[in-house]
């Protein structure tokens, strides 16, 4: 079975086949959109986008068992909040079969660079002019065109690796200088270090062996001798090996931390539990809230 067929199979298993128009009053959010979030640039862009072209990506909900036509909101809290402020009463939603909001949010980040690229392509495919998209996202039209061509020259494996990451546009420009196998290695390196800046990507490209560069990039870099370049290549290869070794040990600890944080978030959704902790263990409650604050702010 091909990767594409496997992907389609997973989507069919993860969501109901038909989207539904649901009353917003029947949707229960799992978190509150804070005043700080509403002041952010990204929030303003989403508002402008909804006003200009409507909802492009439907919110994702899951049915609440035993409660008739009630739903919990898994993804799209900002979009739902904006619709409420605009006085909307209904919204078309995707219905997820997986009722674990924590697991779903761990898999998908709707605001990542690749996801934004796909949103723009979807809008253009649906007939939205580039000029209108630029107004909706409060950017100039050249930015829309750059984002539309974002993944030209990027191999599919790298798209999969970076699809949930916040990667600067210029970083993709650097990746395009590399052949596919080296693109994958550099992307894995950036993920291991959790660094996606253009400067970091540029340093990895500079340290790449000449045979891993695409043909028109095989030129000596200005100010760097062949000996220095060879040394950079060796050091880069050694660092990548060390990153892999560290990543193997880091993965288990990170998974434990993520699961614990998810459990605490679910725990603090229980009003009786929060009340008990506030009365008898206020210090512990404060620590729990500090631990979960970063995740609930996303």
């Amino acid at each position: 079975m091909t990767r594409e067929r496997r992907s389609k199979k997973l989507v069919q298993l993860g969501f109901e086949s038909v989207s539904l128009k649901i009353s917003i009053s029947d949707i229960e959010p799992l978190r509150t959109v804070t005043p700080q979030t509403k002041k952010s640039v990204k929030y303003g862009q989403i508002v402008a986008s909804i006003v200009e072209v409507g909802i492009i990506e439907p919110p994702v909900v899951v049915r609440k068992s035993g409660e008739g036509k009630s739903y919990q909101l898994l993804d799209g809290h900002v979009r739902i909040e904006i619709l409420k402020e605009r006085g909307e009463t209904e919204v078309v939603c995707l219905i997820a079969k997986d009722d674990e909001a924590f697991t779903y949010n761990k898999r998908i980040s709707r605001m990542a660079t690749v996801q934004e690229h796909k949103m723009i392509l979807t809008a253009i495919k649906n007939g939205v002019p580039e000029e209108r998209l630029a107004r909706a996202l409060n950017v100039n039209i050249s930015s829309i065109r750059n984002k539309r061509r974002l993944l030209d020259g990027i191999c599919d494996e790298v798209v999969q690796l970076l699809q949930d990451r916040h990667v600067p546009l210029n970083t993709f420009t650097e990746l395009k200088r590399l052949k596919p196998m080296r693109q994958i290695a550099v992307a894995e390196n950036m993920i291991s270090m959790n660094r996606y800046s253009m400067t970091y990507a540029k340093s990895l490209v500079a340290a790449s062996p000449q045979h891993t560069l695409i043909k028109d990039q095989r030129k000596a870099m200005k100010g760097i001798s062949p000996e220095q370049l060879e040394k950079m290549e060796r050091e880069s290869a050694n660092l990548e090996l060390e990153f892999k070794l560290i990543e193997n040990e880091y993965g288990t600890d990170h998974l434990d931390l993520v699961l614990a944080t998810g459990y605490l978030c679910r725990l603090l959704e229980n009003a009786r539990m929060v009340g008990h902790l506030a009365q008898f263990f206020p210090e512990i409650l404060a620590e729990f809230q500090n631990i979960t604050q970063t995740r609930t702010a996303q």
Side-chain angles (χ1 to χ4, degrees):
M1 184 181 293
T2 66
R3 176 177 300 174
E4 182 180 0
R5 289 179 180 175
R6 288 198 300 268
S7 176
K8 289 182 178 178
K9 184 177 179 182
L10 289 173
V11 172
Q12 291 170 352
L13 291 174
F15 297 93
E16 294 183 9
S17 59
V18 179
S19 57
L20 294 179
K21 180 176 285 189
I22 299 172
S23 173
I24 293 177
S25 61
D26 292 335
I27 300 174
E28 176 189 333
L30 296 182
R31 61 179 176 83
T32 302
V33 178
T34 65
Q36 183 179 3
T37 298
K38 292 183 179 182
K39 294 178 182 178
S40 67
V41 173
K42 181 59 71 176
Y43 187 88
Q45 288 181 335
I46 297 172
V47 171
S49 174
I50 290 175
V51 170
E52 191 69 31
V53 298
I55 295 286
I56 295 176
E57 277 191 295
V60 179
V61 299
V62 65
R63 298 179 187 274
K64 294 180 67 175
S65 59
E67 296 191 26
K69 296 183 178 180
S70 296
Y71 303 85
Q72 282 188 324
L73 181 61
L74 302 185
D75 180 73
H77 286 76
V78 168
R79 279 163 277 166
I80 292 293
E81 184 67 21
I82 293 170
L83 292 176
K84 287 181 180 178
E85 292 179 346
R86 289 176 49 80
E88 303 287 346
T89 58
E90 293 182 320
V91 61
V92 174
C93 296
L94 294 176
I95 313 299
K97 295 182 180 180
D98 182 358
D99 63 355
E100 273 291 342
F102 169 68
T103 304
Y104 177 83
N105 287 330
K106 180 175 182 293
R107 288 197 302 263
I108 299 179
S109 173
R110 296 290 175 178
M111 302 312 297
T113 309
V114 172
Q115 294 294 335
E116 187 176 24
H117 160 79
K118 292 179 179 179
M119 181 193 74
I120 289 172
L121 289 185
T122 299
I124 292 174
K125 183 179 179 181
N126 291 338
V128 179
E130 292 178 344
E131 294 82 358
R132 192 177 177 191
L133 273 176
R135 290 196 303 271
L137 297 176
N138 195 27
V139 297
N140 59 50
I141 193 169
S142 63
S143 177
I144 292 294
R145 289 169 180 166
N146 288 337
K147 290 179 179 180
R148 187 189 66 191
R149 298 189 294 265
L150 178 72
L151 301 181
D152 293 352
I154 302 296
C155 69
D156 293 341
E157 289 79 4
V158 171
V159 173
Q160 292 297 318
L161 287 170
L162 300 180
Q163 65 179 346
D164 298 333
R165 315 283 174 166
H166 297 273
V167 183
L169 299 182
N170 288 336
T171 295
F172 285 99
T173 301
E174 292 300 320
L175 288 174
K176 293 176 184 180
R177 304 179 191 278
L178 303 170
K179 291 182 177 179
M181 291 304 297
R182 181 58 183 167
Q183 283 186 13
I184 296 170
V186 168
E188 290 176 340
N189 189 300
M190 291 191 294
I191 292 171
S192 298
M193 292 296 292
N194 195 28
R195 293 180 63 186
Y196 305 98
S197 69
M198 184 270 287
T199 303
Y200 186 60
K202 197 168 187 175
S203 68
L204 293 176
V205 171
S208 299
Q210 290 289 298
H211 70 273
T212 65
L213 301 176
I214 60 176
K215 188 174 181 180
D216 59 355
Q217 299 293 328
R218 296 177 186 174
K219 298 178 182 178
M221 297 188 63
K222 186 177 180 180
I224 300 179
S225 67
E227 292 77 15
Q228 290 173 318
L229 189 59
E230 184 180 354
K231 184 178 180 180
M232 289 176 63
E233 292 174 1
R234 288 198 305 269
E235 291 178 350
S236 176
N238 291 335
L239 282 174
E240 289 177 18
L241 179 59
E242 292 178 10
F243 291 155
K244 291 292 184 184
L245 294 175
I246 294 172
E247 187 179 22
N248 290 336
E249 299 177 358
Y250 170 81
T252 302
D253 294 338
H254 181 67
L255 177 61
D256 290 341
L257 177 61
V258 168
L259 292 175
T261 303
Y263 175 75
L264 288 179
C265 286
R266 297 294 290 271
L267 191 69
L268 296 182
E269 291 173 6
N270 187 313
R272 293 179 61 187
M273 179 61 69
V274 173
H276 177 78
L277 291 173
Q279 182 177 358
F280 298 104
F281 306 99
E283 297 85 0
I284 294 177
L285 176 61
E287 290 300 323
F288 284 175
Q289 290 172 333
N290 286 336
I291 291 172
T292 59
Q293 185 176 10
T294 300
R295 183 185 158 216
T296 56
Q298 294 177 348

